[in-house]
Amino acid sequence: MDVTLGGFQTSELTTAQVEALESYLAPLADSVRALVDATIRSTLDEKGTRLAKARIDEATALLRGSQLPGPAGVHVNAEGRSWHWGNAAAGLRNALAPPMLLEFDQAGRVSSELDLGAAYEGPPGHLHGGVAALVLDHLMGVTASAGKVPAVTGTLTLRYRRATALGRIRVEGWVDRYEGYKTYVVGRIADSDGVTVEAEGVFVRPRWARDPSIPSSPTPSHLEEP
Amino acid sequence: MDVTLGGFQTSELTTAQVEALESYLAPLADSVRALVDATIRSTLDEKGTRLAKARIDEATALLRGSQLPGPAGVHVNAEGRSWHWGNAAAGLRNALAPPMLLEFDQAGRVSSELDLGAAYEGPPGHLHGGVAALVLDHLMGVTASAGKVPAVTGTLTLRYRRATALGRIRVEGWVDRYEGYKTYVVGRIADSDGVTVEAEGVFVRPRWARDPSIPSSPTPSHLEEP
């Protein structure tokens, strides 16, 4: 199903149009990220809380006036520019995602520096172990596919050496070896005092990406045209 | 550091007061959850998007008028009622958290049914593998501690059998065995077509919970009174 977004048909977006959309969609999601943090940390009384809630509900009603019928999905245009704005770890439009900006060095190492605050808490003052898993899974999956071939997680093993302090963290990953459709990736998280979590993952090329006759970005069945 | 919340000192909250606060704080976070979804799926143009963003920024400014100095932390009152409103997987006030409501059966099995939409997407139309890890890590950690003894993740191994469809999922876990300070927990996720992810975890009682002279809910150092 094709949709109109900011006056453009999503299937026909040029890279310049994708970037024009991102110029106002990214600040919207950044505002929601700030709101998520402020919501957790608010000490307003009931009356003040209800005033804030009314503003939020007004914003939601405005946005609900024109919506995609389902999740955002993954898109690639004719220029090879891809965008996955809804991704739970890296999506530009997803306020749950930090989002992760990934850097690729010449040796094939992928890294990301993140500032994770109150919304990512598990043990008091520390990163939730499951959020550590989320950011590692995501970065290691990208490492496996190296931006070219899609890869989904087969197995992921995480060793938590100690609690990760909230604040600035560094996530990194690199390919250990390839075996057929499997890519073995190593990853780790460090806070300002050093490595806190180590991970190993086996990533698998999905069946639809092994057969060149299948489009690289399939529409999920519930979003297909009837 | 003690703070005033809705007119109460958090260190002195009775269970009835905790529940009175939750009665208006939970709907606030639910509104933010709806906003997160609407933000990802909006197809409004730039003008409409900026109107919605202005409402969101007004809400954030209201909430920023009175805030905790840092993350929410974990609290327990004299009646033994605990609350961790900011938790990334289960926090009542954290819009990133689905949140997870856990059920405990008589055999010690812990389960949770969740409706996960556009904000939890990884592969198109499917659950992000890292979100699967987040909900499993959380549920299995609670399973390990059985609501009594704190436990943090030591190692977690996830096997992704196939992609999990977005929508209603079921997460469950149970203790396989105990060995000293370690608890071995098994968990899995199922969508409407069956099991999609299997997990094994080793959870470890933190040092501060092995020594009864240390309070069970320590204040993180950056929130301690000077």
Side-chain angles (χ1 to χ4, degrees):
Chain A
M1 181 185 217
D2 197 26
V3 295
T4 303
L5 185 61
F8 304 119
Q9 295 297 111
T10 51
S11 66
E12 297 166 1
L13 289 174
T14 65
T15 297
Q17 287 168 336
V18 169
E19 287 168 6
L21 290 167
E22 290 186 343
S23 74
Y24 65 85
L25 294 171
L28 177 71
D30 286 341
S31 281
V32 182
R33 288 185 187 98
L35 177 65
V36 168
D37 179 271
T39 297
I40 294 166
R41 294 170 47 209
S42 167
T43 54
L44 284 186
D45 62 10
E46 181 166 3
K47 187 180 167 194
T49 301
R50 291 193 189 282
L51 282 172
K53 180 179 185 303
R55 292 288 177 283
I56 296 163
D57 292 341
E58 285 165 22
T60 302
L62 283 168
L63 296 167
R64 288 284 190 228
S66 182
Q67 294 262 290
L68 295 172
V74 181
H75 304 274
V76 186
N77 69 11
E79 298 166 65
R81 168 69 144 84
S82 66
W83 60 100
H84 191 174
W85 288 331
N87 187 279
L92 185 86
R93 302 184 60 181
N94 189 338
L96 271 58
M100 299 181 74
L101 301 177
L102 303 177
E103 295 192 12
F104 299 79
D105 78 8
Q106 292 185 326
R109 192 169 291 227
V110 183
S111 63
S112 187
E113 304 245 338
L114 301 168
D115 289 299
L116 300 179
Y120 300 97
E121 190 180 34
H126 290 84
L127 190 68
H128 195 295
V131 175
L134 168 65
V135 299
L136 278 165
D137 173 69
H138 189 81
L139 182 136
M140 291 166 72
V142 173
T143 304
S145 64
K148 296 178 205 102
V149 181
V152 297
T153 318
T155 65
L156 183 68
T157 303
L158 303 134
R159 281 184 301 280
Y160 295 83
R161 288 167 55 162
R162 61 174 174 80
T164 305
L166 286 178
R168 170 62 61 104
I169 67 160
R170 179 178 171 82
V171 192
E172 52 187 16
W174 59 92
V175 172
D176 184 64
R177 65 190 189 281
Y178 297 96
E179 287 179 14
Y181 287 124
K182 294 181 181 174
T183 303
Y184 292 77
V185 177
V186 175
R188 61 188 184 194
I189 289 178
D191 64 13
S192 59
D193 289 328
V195 174
T196 58
V197 187
E198 296 172 322
E200 293 171 8
V202 183
F203 293 83
V204 183
R205 196 180 309 173
R207 274 190 206 91
W208 57 263
R210 298 177 199 173
D211 180 348
S213 72
I214 302 174
S216 66
S217 178
T219 306
S221 58
H222 67 286
L223 291 181
E224 276 170 3
E225 278 184 297
Chain B
M1 182 182 213
D2 198 25
V3 295
T4 302
L5 185 60
F8 304 119
Q9 294 297 111
T10 52
S11 65
E12 297 166 2
L13 288 174
T14 65
T15 297
Q17 287 168 336
V18 169
E19 287 167 6
L21 290 167
E22 290 186 343
S23 73
Y24 66 85
L25 295 171
L28 177 71
D30 286 340
S31 282
V32 181
R33 287 184 187 99
L35 176 65
V36 169
D37 180 90
T39 296
I40 294 167
R41 292 170 50 210
S42 167
T43 55
L44 284 185
D45 62 10
E46 182 167 2
K47 187 180 167 194
T49 301
R50 291 195 188 282
L51 282 172
K53 181 179 184 301
R55 293 287 178 284
I56 296 163
D57 292 341
E58 286 166 24
T60 302
L62 283 168
L63 296 167
R64 289 283 188 229
S66 184
Q67 296 262 289
L68 295 171
V74 180
H75 303 273
V76 185
N77 69 11
E79 298 166 65
R81 168 71 146 84
S82 66
W83 61 102
H84 190 174
W85 288 329
N87 187 280
L92 187 86
R93 302 186 60 180
N94 188 339
L96 272 57
M100 299 181 76
L101 301 177
L102 303 177
E103 294 192 13
F104 299 80
D105 78 7
Q106 290 185 326
R109 190 168 294 226
V110 183
S111 63
S112 185
E113 305 245 337
L114 302 168
D115 289 298
L116 299 180
Y120 300 97
E121 191 180 34
H126 290 86
L127 189 68
H128 195 296
V131 175
L134 168 65
V135 298
L136 277 165
D137 173 69
H138 190 80
L139 182 136
M140 292 166 70
V142 173
T143 304
S145 63
K148 294 177 207 103
V149 182
V152 297
T153 317
T155 66
L156 183 67
T157 303
L158 302 134
R159 281 183 300 280
Y160 294 83
R161 289 168 53 162
R162 61 175 174 80
T164 306
L166 286 177
R168 170 60 63 101
I169 67 161
R170 180 178 169 83
V171 192
E172 52 187 17
W174 57 94
V175 172
D176 183 65
R177 64 190 189 281
Y178 298 95
E179 288 179 15
Y181 287 123
K182 295 182 180 173
T183 303
Y184 292 78
V185 177
V186 175
R188 62 190 182 191
I189 289 178
D191 64 14
S192 59
D193 289 329
V195 174
T196 57
V197 187
E198 295 172 323
E200 293 170 8
V202 183
F203 293 82
V204 182
R205 195 179 310 172
R207 273 188 209 93
W208 55 263
R210 297 176 198 174
D211 179 349
S213 71
I214 302 175
S216 65
S217 178
T219 305
S221 56
H222 66 288
L223 292 180
E224 274 171 4
E225 277 186 296

